[in-house]
Amino acid sequence: PALADTQLLPADSAESVLAQALRDIEQNNPTQSGAVFSSDVQAGEGMAVLDAQPLSETLVLPRAFGTMYLGETFAAHLCICNESTLVVRDILVQVSMQTASQQVPLVDTGDAARQLAAGQPLNLQVVHEIKELGAHVLACSISYLSAQGERRTLQKSFKFQVANPLVVKTKVNHLARDVLLEVQVHNATPKAMALERLRFDAAAPFVSQDLNATAKGQSVWGARAGFMQPGDVRQYLYRLRPQVDAESMSVEQERAVQYATALGKLDIVWRGQFGSVGRLQTSQLLRKSPGMFLIEIESARVLDGHAVVEEPFVARVRVRNVSEQRMAVVAAVNAHKHPMVVVCGPAQHTLGELDVGESAEFDLQLLALAPGVQRVGAVVLVDSVSGYTREVDHLLDVDVRSS
């Protein structure tokens, strides 16, 4: 039998590599009855040679045939053909994909030994999803009984490299309990690709909101949203919110949100030239946990929505006890920390005792001295029971208008 395999065609190839190889063989070697002879064997002696050694050394694939990319599917067709005039018995086929860390069996006929009549082919398909970077080896081994009753074996290997098609970088920004996740995707291949799907699957306790479309549902990238040329870089934005609303969130759920490090996975599906499909799923995207304070600021807002220069306004602040014990909270304001917004009312507020998970509100009476966006902060929260103190430098921003 002769072992033949198809080669992945280069995208810019003008003709079939297999057709070129067969044409070269036909021009350089005499053939008879479909059998291929080496250049140092006469045509009249060819059948005798094949009867003694029916397993041909002629293979289409070179030992190394280029690069594939992580997430693609390797597919090959193997054809085993008996090129002798005799029946070949007890044919055993083993095909495996070898990497630096594992060996994956693809074909193993095992005890199901086969026989091939003269000129009879045996066709096999092998498929393997590429999940590992680095060198890959397709190892093929065929053993059979020759006409003389001897057990003979042919082993061939075909090597190829697996590279990373996409480079993914992330940046995390915190917005109270929410997380803004920036994702940068770079096409690292030398060929264009069409992104068929780019989806972020959030991990508990978050849900994801895709911010990459307009109000009409159109992609922010326009009509060519899915196409990426070699070297192109795309940026995507996702907002992660807690699964539970802030108003109904327990202290335990609050801790789970604040201390969660896993954000989720990015699932990307693309098509290359000739419609070949690739899929890449990242590992868990992680963040550095922001942690939480024992006294949390739940909300801070200006009651009228905005302020007017040199006119008093009220900012309402809501705090919550997220510790494991009861607290007696006192809030104080440093009137000189932000000189553009000063306190025109009480500088200290006693909120009383707060049980675990309980909230309380207090109003700050303020006066803005200049127009524009002004910062309000310099609030100190103190638990008079344990002595715990938290300083809040930035409480909120106020839109101050001239009139």
Side-chain angles (χ1 to χ4, degrees):
L3 177 63
D5 198 334
T6 58
Q7 181 179 5
L8 296 176
L9 298 181
D12 55 353
S13 176
E15 61 178 346
S16 169
V17 175
L18 177 60
Q20 178 65 41
L22 294 177
R23 185 162 55 254
D24 292 342
I25 294 173
E26 183 179 357
Q27 292 175 354
N28 300 326
N29 300 280
T31 60
Q32 178 180 349
S33 300
V36 180
F37 305 106
S38 60
S39 58
D40 58 346
V41 178
Q42 299 297 324
E45 304 172 356
M47 298 313 298
V49 173
L50 290 177
D51 289 345
Q53 183 73 21
L55 200 57
S56 171
E57 295 288 341
T58 303
L59 297 175
V60 174
L61 275 178
R63 289 192 176 274
F65 56 89
T67 302
M68 291 192 68
Y69 293 98
L70 192 68
E72 293 183 334
T73 300
F74 174 87
H77 176 87
L78 287 81
C79 180
I80 305 168
C81 183
N82 179 9
E83 295 184 343
S84 71
T85 59
L86 305 175
V87 175
V88 178
R89 297 175 292 110
D90 294 340
I91 300 175
L92 300 176
V93 182
Q94 290 182 328
V95 181
S96 64
M97 186 67 73
Q98 300 174 2
T99 67
S101 63
Q102 62 179 339
Q103 178 174 329
V104 181
L106 303 180
V107 175
D108 189 352
T109 57
D111 297 332
R114 307 187 184 189
Q115 68 177 24
L116 293 177
Q120 182 182 358
L122 172 61
N123 296 293
L124 299 172
Q125 298 283 344
V126 293
V127 177
H128 177 69
E129 185 178 352
I130 304 296
K131 298 181 179 179
E132 190 174 338
L133 295 171
H136 283 58
V137 179
L138 180 68
C140 306
S141 176
I142 303 175
S143 65
Y144 63 98
L145 285 180
S146 66
Q148 292 77 24
E150 299 178 359
R151 172 65 65 178
R152 294 183 178 178
T153 302
L154 170 65
Q155 293 181 338
K156 286 292 182 180
S157 62
F158 306 102
K159 300 179 181 180
F160 62 94
Q161 293 290 329
V162 174
N164 206 340
L166 298 169
V167 178
V168 178
K169 297 181 180 180
T170 60
K171 182 180 179 181
V172 176
N173 298 281
H174 295 100
L175 185 64
R177 297 180 180 86
D178 296 355
V179 178
L180 291 178
L181 178 64
E182 298 179 42
V183 178
Q184 186 182 87
V185 180
H186 170 220
N187 179 8
T189 72
K191 301 175 183 178
M193 65 170 58
L195 291 182
E196 198 166 84
R197 184 181 72 206
L198 195 148
R199 184 186 68 211
F200 182 77
D201 299 322
F206 297 106
V207 292
S208 175
Q209 178 186 2
D210 191 340
L211 302 179
N212 304 295
T214 64
K216 297 182 179 180
Q218 299 175 346
S219 172
V220 295
W221 292 100
R224 296 181 58 83
F227 291 94
M228 292 184 67
Q229 297 298 326
D232 277 2
V233 177
R234 296 282 178 85
Q235 287 185 309
Y236 300 88
L237 184 62
Y238 299 91
R239 183 168 185 169
L240 279 61
R241 303 176 184 271
Q243 294 175 336
V244 182
D245 294 336
E247 296 180 355
S248 57
M249 186 178 296
S250 66
V251 175
E252 290 74 16
Q253 292 170 330
E254 176 87 16
R255 292 196 187 104
V257 170
Q258 296 294 342
Y259 287 102
T261 57
L263 299 179
K265 297 181 179 180
L266 198 64
D267 188 55
I268 307 174
V269 177
W270 73 91
R271 287 189 180 270
Q273 297 184 352
F274 300 107
S276 60
V277 180
R279 182 187 178 191
L280 185 65
Q281 187 179 68
T282 66
S283 57
Q284 280 284 357
L285 301 180
L286 304 177
R287 67 164 178 173
K288 183 178 179 180
S289 170
M292 62 187 302
F293 299 95
L294 299 183
I295 305 175
E296 285 288 344
I297 305 293
E298 284 196 316
S299 63
R301 61 188 179 89
V302 176
L303 293 185
D304 294 333
H306 67 277
V308 178
V309 175
E310 297 183 353
E311 291 186 10
F313 68 93
V314 177
R316 180 162 294 171
V317 183
R318 183 181 180 88
V319 300
R320 187 184 190 191
N321 175 14
V322 292
S323 70
E324 298 180 353
Q325 60 187 5
R326 176 177 293 188
M327 284 185 167
V329 181
V330 176
V333 182
N334 185 347
H336 306 289
K337 184 72 173 183
H338 301 291
M340 293 296 100
V341 179
V342 297
V343 178
C344 61
Q348 182 170 308
H349 301 265
T350 301
L351 306 183
E353 292 189 352
L354 299 179
D355 288 331
V356 176
E358 188 177 357
S359 301
E361 293 181 341
F362 63 95
D363 292 340
L364 294 177
Q365 298 178 15
L366 305 170
L367 183 71
L369 303 180
V373 178
Q374 304 295 343
R375 171 177 290 194
V376 176
V379 176
V380 180
L381 302 173
V382 180
D383 174 24
S384 57
V385 177
S386 64
Y388 170 80
T389 301
R390 178 189 174 186
E391 295 184 5
V392 183
D393 183 64
H394 183 198
L395 191 62
L396 76 159
D397 292 318
V398 183
D399 176 18
V400 181
R401 304 176 184 179
S402 301
S403 60

